[in-house]
């Protein structure tokens, strides 16, 4: 972002900064946790009515706010808590009117009034259905309300499982299993979104945005369902109020108390007796899942002070399917005795039909125990009609012990998070302000049971023992923000900003990684690569975000609204408390080697800060002559921060003389005489010997980040049309496009020459290099049809055709390395989350058996009333996968295309999906132990099998009176037990290459819930 474009944006930024400094006593911002309602008041001739008194009153709490229409007849209420409201207009000489509204988060509702000449003093109630159509902004908003979270089939009450009901939204796992469940919005990086609760940071991983804890020990994501009023996803051309993200925002709005006590109690049960057998197991493993909890809300002081509290507890006990490659009797019998302890870590299997196979894919039932406790409490205080204060606290304590393909390496993880949020809304005569403070703290400890016995990660021809680790991660966020909203003429202004501090730290101890290029090398104990990670003692990294925005929703005419905004965010460079950041620059005497070979940069300047983060947002909503139709279009720039997981973590060392990690090539490994085993106790001596012998220089290379490491950003655009249809149905069709830039690229540097085996700097180890060299492009057609609940029936469906292309993984964290650093263009291909076709449909039907049978007596209502059916159908094409060669010492190496077809037609029966004849191995150099060249097969050129799934639910509600109800519900997931195969082995050197190793069988859960 430079040139005339940047000069123009900087000029706008100066003007914007002056406005902010004049208007605000402190910085401010806004994520979508509240609603707005605006409208015009006219007489029967269409003339504006100024100075009309407008009152907005909450149906739940009785809290009322007042405003007046301006000279254009325009009024507005901003930062309105979600819920049901009655709005009343009064003006001397005119007939007063009132309407009822149900406001959702991120909604800008229209409430227009046409007032006739007064004939009586009574206020006339106007019946007006809240439109589902967004007629004021160009942003894409998806909302999950209580009905979606509690009435649709939702496995284990996990609200993240229904996020994909919205188009262009796909859940994924970032960083392999490293960072946890995350989200890709319109094909942009999964680690590029922003997760908030009530508008402030709520990630469960202090290093990268994620719903769950690092590597998922939790069952409940972020907050239990009973405290969720709505989940709102804002993507596309979002307003300037949305910041800290390059893709979009997910915000959870928590429930509040009211003047009437209300609450719930529930129990969920899922036992293996109700489930189908997993397709890869011969028996159904015993398992039990229980989730229980409840909520209570109500008044402490009527119409003044309210509370809402909830608790959710979950327990999993039993067995789960564990799959992986294990050594065969042939491998064990041919191997020297030094590997005996390694083989004992694996289950015993029979030799497959191939008498010389060294691995076989094994599936077994492994023990798993998991618990989670999640509680939340919120208090709202109505100081007076112009001042509202709330406080909210969430506490989460998950724990998990999970099985591994190696018998001795079960993993135990415990986590803890505490998140607090305070908010204050003030309504002045001419403006409304919202101030928020958030504190989110996360701690996690993880221990692999094989760590005590020094279980190394041994890799050979598809066999991978995984290694073991002792790991602690701790950190959190402090957020202070404020927003101010005001109406001037036809302009609705919002302006504000944010200050956020992030800090995180690790303690990390690992066993060694030892890789062999072939079974012969394994038999002779001749590794081609050795990775040693030295003990990393506790450290603390921190950085800041400073941001501000100005947004104007300008009603240019009665049927045209322009959304004009500008935003600026500055993200500081992370710093470590004790200065233990070591990032090497370019060697002045040998600049062609690039970063990583020169002197250390200052510890507080691992890379240069990026100040070019001006973000314009432009959109329009046009109503072309009919209130039932709207045309929307927009463009925006969105800048997000670098996750600390995406490079900065790897730059921390205990000292300048001790690296965090060294990766030794085949030549260095042979020179040092390193063989299996490599106990952790020998690591200090190994480093001393390597440096004293000159095999590794004391001036070694460690992970490096390019000093020019600009913040990642996206340019997004959209154009679409929406139409109201009869029956409370809305049809929408959008073209959505974006271009992600400065996304992370990770290369492996100082690799040995493929033919000679000589590294560019022989006394340096192999190391990672991060730079903002990846980019992505997304184009998608998104079609939606939604019907609001009426006559006991609602449905929705979306179809998306899209394409995401990139040079890497289109993400902001650790990436898979390219096979040729000098030919990045050859890496251009589908992104890992490139989903070409996807359809999702959902339906909820309150079955009217009483009406059909014409029974309205007590017995009839008891037996036939309250029945409901619901379901979710998902159909999608397969995601792409990359074919690699694990026997090559060069990471990222791929094979050549072969002469046969890529896919096998009978894979549903054989579980053999890829045809080995469709791929051809590239020869391995005897000196470098790497392929003699990169393969010609394209990156991510193989597609997994597609997926079809139906989840269904049947429920019965017993109404004891108007307030107390009991619901019994049965949910089935993969209802028809359709075999959706996954777990494809993509390492061409593996004996199980091309095989599918996992599937999801049908499960059922039973729920009992009392609400009052």
């Amino acid at each position: 972002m430079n040139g005339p474009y940047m000069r123009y944006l900087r000029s706008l930024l100066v003007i914007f900064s002056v406005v902010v400094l004049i208007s605000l006593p402190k910085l401010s911002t806004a994520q979508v946790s509240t609603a707005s309602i605006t409208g015009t008041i006219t007489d029967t001739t269409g003339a504006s009515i100024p100075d009309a008194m407008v009152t907005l009153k909450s149906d739940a709490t009785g809290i009322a706010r007042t405003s007046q229409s301006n000279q254009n007849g325009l009024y507005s209420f901003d930062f309105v808590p979600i819920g049901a409201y009655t709005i009343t207009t009064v003006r001397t000489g005119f007939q007063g009117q009132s309407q009822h509204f149900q406001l959702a988060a991120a909604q800008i509702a229209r409430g227009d009034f046409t007032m006739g000449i007064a004939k009586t003093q009574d206020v006339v109630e106007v019946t007006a259905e809240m439109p589902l159509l967004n007629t004021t902004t160009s942003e894409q908003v998806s909302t999950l309300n209580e009905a979606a979270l509690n009435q649709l089939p939702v496995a284990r009450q996990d609200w993240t499982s229904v996020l994909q009901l919205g188009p262009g939204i796909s859940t994924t796992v970032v960083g392999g299993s490293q960072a946890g469940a995350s989200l890709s919005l319109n094909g942009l990086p999964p680690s590029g979104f922003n997760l908030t609760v009530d508008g402030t940071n709520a990630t469960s991983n202090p290093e990268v945005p994620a719903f769950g804890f690092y590597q998922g020990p939790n069952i409940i994501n972020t907050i239990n369902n009973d405290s969720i009023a709505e989940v709102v996803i804002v993507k596309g051309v979002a307003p300037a109020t949305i910041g800290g993200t390059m893709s979009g925002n997910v915000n959870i709005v928590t429930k509040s108390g009211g003047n009437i006590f209300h609450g719930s109690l529930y129990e969920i049960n899922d036992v293996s007796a109700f489930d189908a057998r997993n397709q890869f197991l011969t028996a159904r493993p015993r398992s039990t899942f229980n989730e229980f909890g409840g909520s209570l809300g109500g008044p402490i002081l009527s119409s003044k002070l309210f509370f809402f509290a909830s608790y959710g507890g979950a327990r999993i006990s039993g067995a789960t399917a564990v799959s992986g490659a294990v050594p065969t009797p042939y491998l064990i019998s041919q191997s020297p005795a030094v590997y005996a302890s390694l083989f004992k870590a694996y289950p015993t299997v029979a030799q497959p039909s191939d008498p010389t196979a060294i691995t076989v894919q094994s599936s077994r039932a492994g023990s798993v125990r998991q618990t989670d406790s999640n509680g939340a409490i919120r208090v709202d205080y109505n100081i007076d009609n112009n001042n509202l204060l709330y406080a909210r606290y969430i506490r989460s304590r998950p724990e998990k012990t999970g099985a591994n393909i190696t018998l001795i390496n079960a993993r135990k993880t415990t986590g803890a998070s505490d998140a607090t949020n305070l908010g204050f809304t003030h309504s002045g005569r001419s403006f409304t302000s919202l101030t928020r403070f958030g504190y989110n703290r996360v701690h996690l400890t993880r221990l692999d049971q094989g760590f005590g016995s020094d279980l190394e990660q041994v890799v050979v021809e598809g066999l991978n023992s995984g290694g073991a680790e002792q790991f602690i991660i701790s950190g959190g966020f402090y957020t202070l923000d404020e927003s101010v909203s005001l109406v001037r003429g036809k302009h609705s202004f919002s302006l504000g900003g944010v200050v956020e501090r992030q800090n995180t730290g690790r303690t990390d101890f690992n066993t060694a990684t030892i890789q062999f290029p072939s079974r012969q090398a394994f038999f002779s104990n001749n590794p081609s690569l050795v990775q040693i990670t030295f003990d990393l003692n506790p450290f603390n990294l921190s950085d800041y975000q400073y941001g501000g925005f100005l947004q104007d929703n300008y009603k240019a005419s009665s049927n045209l609204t322009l959304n004009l905004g500008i935003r600026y965010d500055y993200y500081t460079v992370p710093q470590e408390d004790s200065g233990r950041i070591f990032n090497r620059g370019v060697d002045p005497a040998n600049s062609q080697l690039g970063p990583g070979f020169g002197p250390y940069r200052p510890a507080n300047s691992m890379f240069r800060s990026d100040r070019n983060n001006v973000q314009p947002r432009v959109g329009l909503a046009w109503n072309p002559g009919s209130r039932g139709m709207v045309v929307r279009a927009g463009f925006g720039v969105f800048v997000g921060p670098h996750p600390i997981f995406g490079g900065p973590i790897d730059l921390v060392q205990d000292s300048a003389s001790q690296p965090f990690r060294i990766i030794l090539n085949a030549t260095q490994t042979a020179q040092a005489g390193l063989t299996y085993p490599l106990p952790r106790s020998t690591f200090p001596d190994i480093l001393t010997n390597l440096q004293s012998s000159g095999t590794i220089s004391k001036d070694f290379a460690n992970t490096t980040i390019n000093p020019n490491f600009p913040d990642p950003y996206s340019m997004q655009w959209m154009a679409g049309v929406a139409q109201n249809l009869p029956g409370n149905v809305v049809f929408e069709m959008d073209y959505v496009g974006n271009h992600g830039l400065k996304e992370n690229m990770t290369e492996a540097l100082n690799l040995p020459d493929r033919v000679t085996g000589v590294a560019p700097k022989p006394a340096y180890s192999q190391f990672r290099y991060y730079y903002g060299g990846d980019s992505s492009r997304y184009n998608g057609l998104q079609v939606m049809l939604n019907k609001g609940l009426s006559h006991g029936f609602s449905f929705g469906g979306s179809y998306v055709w899209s394409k995401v292309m990139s040079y890497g993984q289109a993400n902001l964290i650790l990436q898979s390395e390219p096979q040729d650093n000098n030919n990045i263009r050859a890496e251009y291909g589908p992104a890992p989350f490139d989903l070409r076709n996807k359809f999702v449909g959902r339906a909820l039907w309150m079955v009217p058996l009483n009406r059909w049978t014409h029974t309205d007596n007590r017995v009839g209502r008891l037996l036939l009333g309250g029945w409901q059916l619901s379901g979710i159908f998902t159909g999608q094409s397969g995601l792409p996968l990359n074919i690699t060669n694990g026997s090559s010492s060069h990471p990222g190496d791929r094979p050549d295309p072969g002469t046969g077809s890529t896919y096998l037609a009978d894979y549903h029966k054989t579980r053999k999906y890829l045809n080995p004849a469709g791929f051809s191995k590239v020869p391995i150099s005897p000196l470098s132990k790497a392929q003699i060249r990169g393969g010609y097969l394209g990156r991510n050129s193989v597609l997994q099998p597609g997926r079809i799934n139906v989840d269904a639910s049947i429920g019965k509600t017993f109404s004891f009176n108007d307030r107390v109800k009991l619901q019994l519900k049965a949910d089935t997931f993969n209802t028809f037990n359709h075999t959706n195969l996954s777990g494809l082995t993509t390492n061409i050197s593996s004996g199980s290459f091309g095989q599918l190793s996992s599937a999801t069988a049908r499960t059922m859960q039973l729920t009992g819930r009392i609400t009052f």
Side-chain angles (χ1 to χ4, degrees):
M1 299 173 66
N2 49 35
Y5 171 72
M6 281 304 305
R7 289 195 294 272
Y8 170 70
L9 291 182
R10 287 192 183 104
S11 300
L12 291 178
L13 179 60
V14 171
I15 298 172
F16 158 70
S17 301
V18 172
V19 172
V20 171
L21 290 174
I22 293 174
S23 304
L24 292 180
K26 48 193 169 184
L27 287 173
S28 50
T29 193
Q31 305 290 2
V32 284
S33 59
T34 58
S36 296
I37 183 167
T38 185
T40 56
I41 303 175
T42 60
D43 61 21
T44 53
T45 68
S48 301
I49 300 179
D51 301 323
M53 182 64 66
V54 187
T55 303
L56 181 71
K57 185 176 181 180
S58 168
D59 295 348
T61 64
I63 297 173
R65 289 167 55 178
T66 60
S67 180
Q68 279 187 318
S69 59
N70 64 14
Q71 67 273 19
N72 298 107
L74 184 67
Y75 75 91
S76 181
F77 292 98
D78 295 296
F79 310 124
V80 181
I82 67 173
Y85 287 86
T86 300
I87 188 167
T88 305
T89 63
V90 177
R91 177 68 160 86
T92 302
F94 292 90
Q95 180 73 62
Q97 292 186 356
S98 69
Q99 290 188 38
H100 296 285
F101 292 91
Q102 182 71 39
L103 298 181
Q107 183 180 15
I108 303 178
R110 292 290 305 179
D112 296 328
F113 291 87
T114 301
M115 301 177 68
I117 301 299
K119 297 180 180 178
T120 69
Q121 297 299 313
D122 295 332
V123 174
V124 177
E125 181 174 327
V126 179
T127 302
E129 192 175 68
M130 175 62 70
L132 296 175
L133 203 61
N134 174 11
T135 62
T136 54
T137 64
S138 58
E139 65 191 3
Q140 293 180 302
V141 179
S142 297
T143 302
L144 298 175
N145 55 25
E146 286 189 72
L149 297 176
N150 295 316
Q151 302 306 322
L152 293 175
V154 179
R156 298 177 178 177
Q157 284 208 132
D158 180 9
W159 57 271
T160 67
S161 66
V162 288
L163 288 176
Q164 60 182 336
L165 290 177
I169 303 171
S170 59
T171 53
T172 184
V173 175
V174 296
S177 61
Q178 297 300 304
S182 195
L183 198 71
S184 174
L185 301 175
N186 287 344
L188 285 164
S191 53
F193 82 112
N194 192 15
L195 175 65
T196 55
V197 173
D198 296 323
T200 57
N201 185 283
T203 181
S204 294
N205 186 330
E207 297 177 356
V208 64
F211 302 127
F213 285 75
Y214 183 90
Q215 297 188 333
N218 55 289
I219 303 171
I220 301 169
N221 279 307
T222 313
I223 186 172
N224 64 84
N225 267 21
D226 271 22
S227 267
I228 298 177
E230 287 182 349
V231 180
V232 183
I233 306 100
V234 178
K235 60 186 180 66
V237 186
T241 55
I242 301 296
T245 172
M246 66 176 295
S247 64
N249 173 241
V250 177
N251 184 64
I252 301 168
V253 183
T254 57
K255 291 181 180 178
S256 302
N259 276 330
I260 299 175
F261 282 101
H262 59 287
S264 64
L265 288 171
Y266 71 89
E267 166 76 18
I268 299 175
N269 178 253
D270 177 356
V271 296
S272 54
F274 300 144
D275 300 339
R277 176 182 57 83
N278 187 283
Q279 291 89 337
F280 284 88
L281 298 178
T282 56
R284 185 169 49 202
R286 181 196 61 81
S287 65
T288 302
F289 168 78
N290 287 100
E291 188 169 352
F292 49 87
S295 64
L296 179 65
I300 300 174
L301 296 173
S302 181
S303 300
K304 196 73 174 178
L305 185 63
F306 314 93
F307 79 96
F308 188 89
S310 70
Y311 171 79
R315 308 286 186 266
I316 297 175
S317 176
T320 186
V322 179
S323 299
V326 301
T328 62
Y330 172 78
L331 176 62
I332 296 172
S333 65
Q334 297 297 308
S335 301
V338 69
Y339 296 113
S341 61
L342 172 67
F343 294 142
K344 287 180 180 178
Y346 283 96
T348 302
V349 295
Q351 184 68 29
S353 56
D354 181 354
T356 62
I358 68 169
T359 65
V360 64
Q361 195 73 15
S362 172
S363 294
R364 65 181 179 88
S367 176
V368 61
R369 292 187 62 84
Q370 196 168 357
T371 65
D372 205 349
S373 297
N374 186 288
I377 185 168
R378 173 169 171 154
V379 176
D380 292 78
Y381 178 40
N382 179 31
I383 302 171
D384 54 43
N385 285 345
N386 294 322
N387 296 280
L388 179 64
L389 177 70
Y390 77 85
R392 186 263 303 145
Y393 168 67
I394 305 170
R395 182 181 189 271
S396 183
R397 297 293 186 270
E399 182 174 314
K400 179 180 181 179
T401 301
N404 195 296
I405 192 62
T406 50
L407 301 174
I408 67 169
N409 205 27
R411 170 169 289 178
K412 183 174 183 180
T413 307
T414 58
S417 72
D418 299 272
T420 302
N421 177 281
L422 302 172
F424 174 67
T425 303
H426 171 69
S427 300
R429 289 180 59 86
S430 60
F431 71 94
T432 305
S433 67
L434 171 62
T435 306
R436 288 182 298 211
F437 169 77
Y439 171 68
N440 178 27
R441 189 72 184 172
V442 181
H443 180 88
L444 179 139
T445 301
R446 191 195 67 207
L447 176 64
D448 297 335
Q449 301 303 303
F451 184 78
S453 58
D454 271 333
L455 176 66
E456 287 99 334
Q457 181 180 22
V458 176
V459 181
V460 55
E461 290 191 20
L463 184 71
N464 189 333
S465 61
E469 185 178 15
Q470 183 179 0
F471 175 85
I472 298 173
I473 183 173
S474 183
F477 293 81
Y478 299 84
T479 307
L480 176 64
D481 67 62
E482 183 177 303
S483 298
V484 172
S485 180
L486 61 157
V487 177
R488 293 292 184 269
K490 296 183 178 182
H491 300 268
S492 297
F493 292 106
S494 296
L495 63 164
V498 63
V499 176
E500 183 170 272
R501 179 181 184 268
Q502 174 187 11
N503 79 284
T504 187
R506 287 185 174 189
T507 303
D508 200 1
F509 308 129
N510 289 261
T511 58
T513 296
I514 306 170
Q515 179 175 315
F516 298 90
S518 64
R519 65 183 68 187
Q520 291 76 20
F522 179 78
F523 295 150
S524 60
N525 205 347
N526 185 20
S528 58
L529 181 147
V530 167
Q531 175 180 290
I532 298 175
T533 302
F534 298 95
D535 290 356
L536 185 61
N537 291 305
F539 65 85
N540 186 58
L541 283 166
S542 61
D543 59 11
Y544 289 83
Q545 173 193 357
Y546 302 96
F549 68 87
L550 175 63
Q551 179 73 30
D552 177 18
N553 291 331
Y554 171 51
K555 193 167 181 59
S557 65
S558 60
N559 64 348
L560 175 63
T561 301
L562 301 179
N563 314 124
L564 309 172
I566 190 167
R567 183 180 183 92
Y568 180 81
D569 289 289
Y570 173 65
Y571 305 101
T572 65
V573 177
Q575 300 185 24
E576 203 277 322
D577 287 355
S578 55
R580 289 191 289 146
I581 294 176
F582 300 90
N583 188 31
R584 290 192 178 277
V586 176
D587 183 357
N590 202 358
S591 59
Q592 72 271 16
L593 291 176
F597 297 93
Y600 284 122
R601 293 178 57 82
N604 61 355
S605 182
M606 67 173 78
F607 52 84
R608 292 185 288 272
S609 61
D610 187 354
R611 301 180 184 272
N612 300 317
N613 292 343
V614 181
Q615 305 158 67
R617 316 277 173 88
V618 179
L620 65 85
W622 175 47
N623 195 222
S626 169
R627 294 184 62 85
M629 181 180 181
V630 63
V631 176
R632 299 181 298 150
F635 171 84
V637 176
F638 299 78
V639 180
H642 289 289
I644 287 183
F645 183 71
I649 285 290
D650 291 350
L651 297 185
V652 182
Q653 302 172 194
D654 270 7
S655 68
S657 60
Q658 179 174 308
F660 168 57
R661 175 177 291 139
I662 58 173
I663 303 174
L664 306 175
N665 60 40
T667 301
Q668 294 165 331
T669 300
Q671 288 175 351
L674 299 180
T675 59
Y676 176 87
L678 289 175
R680 292 184 65 256
S681 59
T682 64
F683 287 2
D685 290 339
I686 289 174
L687 180 61
T688 300
N689 294 336
L690 287 169
Q691 292 178 340
S692 62
S693 66
T695 302
I696 293 294
S697 170
K698 293 181 179 180
D699 186 29
F700 54 84
N702 199 28
T703 297
T704 294
I705 297 177
N706 193 311
N708 181 27
F709 198 45
D711 295 323
Y713 70 97
S714 67
M715 295 186 291
Q716 303 189 47
W717 54 91
M718 67 83 63
V721 61
Q723 175 69 56
N724 271 333
L725 300 176
N728 199 25
V729 176
V730 171
F731 171 80
E732 296 184 57
M733 183 168 62
D734 295 331
Y735 160 69
V736 180
N738 61 60
H739 186 22
L741 299 115
K742 309 303 180 185
E743 297 163 346
N744 260 19
M745 183 69 79
T746 308
E747 294 181 0
L749 294 190
N750 205 43
L751 292 170
D753 181 89
R754 289 183 179 274
V755 177
T756 66
V758 178
K761 199 160 186 177
Y764 271 33
S765 75
Q766 175 183 321
F767 62 94
R768 286 176 183 160
Y769 169 52
Y770 291 88
Y771 65 103
D774 195 9
S775 65
S776 61
R777 291 187 179 273
Y778 171 88
N779 288 281
L781 177 67
Q782 302 179 0
V783 182
M784 295 145 282
L785 189 69
N786 288 293
K787 179 187 183 301
L789 183 64
S790 61
H791 305 292
F793 184 64
S794 71
F795 67 82
S798 66
Y799 169 74
V800 178
W801 177 91
S802 63
K803 185 177 182 180
V804 194
M805 301 291 286
S806 63
Y807 295 92
Q809 289 179 277
N811 215 331
L812 309 180
I813 57 174
L814 176 64
Q815 308 292 292
S816 298
E817 296 90 342
Q819 70 171 353
D820 186 350
N821 297 339
N822 298 315
N823 189 13
I824 298 299
R825 288 187 175 276
E827 300 297 301
Y828 191 70
F833 38 88
D834 176 34
L835 195 56
R836 298 295 171 92
N837 293 275
K838 183 175 182 179
F839 174 80
V840 179
R842 51 92 184 162
L844 173 63
W845 185 26
M846 309 296 184
V847 186
L849 294 179
N850 285 118
R851 179 164 56 83
W852 289 349
T853 57
H854 304 288
T855 55
D856 195 28
N857 54 50
R858 183 179 180 85
V859 175
R861 288 193 299 270
L862 179 66
L863 296 178
L864 301 178
W867 287 94
Q868 71 177 48
L869 299 172
S870 64
I872 300 174
F873 172 82
T874 304
Q876 65 183 50
S877 53
L879 289 168
L881 285 175
N882 198 34
I883 305 301
T884 61
N885 184 359
S887 293
S888 176
S889 64
H890 271 222
D893 272 353
R894 300 188 292 270
D896 289 341
T899 57
S901 60
T902 301
Y903 306 102
L904 297 172
D906 59 346
Y907 71 91
H908 279 103
K909 295 180 180 179
T910 65
R911 308 298 193 252
K912 190 79 172 178
Y913 180 64
L914 297 180
N915 180 12
F919 309 88
S920 176
K921 292 182 180 179
V922 179
I924 299 290
S925 165
L927 297 177
S928 69
K929 304 299 190 292
Q931 291 184 178
I932 59 173
R933 56 168 173 79
Y936 299 140
L937 186 70
R939 184 182 64 87
N940 284 349
S941 59
V942 166
L943 293 179
Q944 303 177 62
R947 180 173 178 264
I948 295 176
N949 185 73
V950 175
D951 298 335
S953 173
I954 183 171
K956 172 74 170 73
T957 299
F958 300 89
S959 298
F960 300 106
N961 53 43
D962 290 340
R963 294 191 55 202
V964 181
K965 297 180 180 180
L966 167 65
Q967 184 186 57
L968 302 177
K969 190 157 72 87
D971 299 308
T972 57
F973 307 97
N974 191 10
T975 304
F976 301 111
N977 201 32
H978 179 74
T979 302
N980 290 303
L981 294 167
S982 58
L984 181 65
T985 301
T986 57
N987 178 2
I988 196 171
S989 64
S990 171
S992 56
F993 171 70
Q995 289 185 5
L996 296 157
S997 62
S998 60
T1000 302
R1002 180 183 60 245
T1003 59
M1004 176 185 292
Q1005 70 182 25
L1006 303 176
T1007 302
R1009 178 182 292 271
I1010 297 175
T1011 58
F1012 58 91

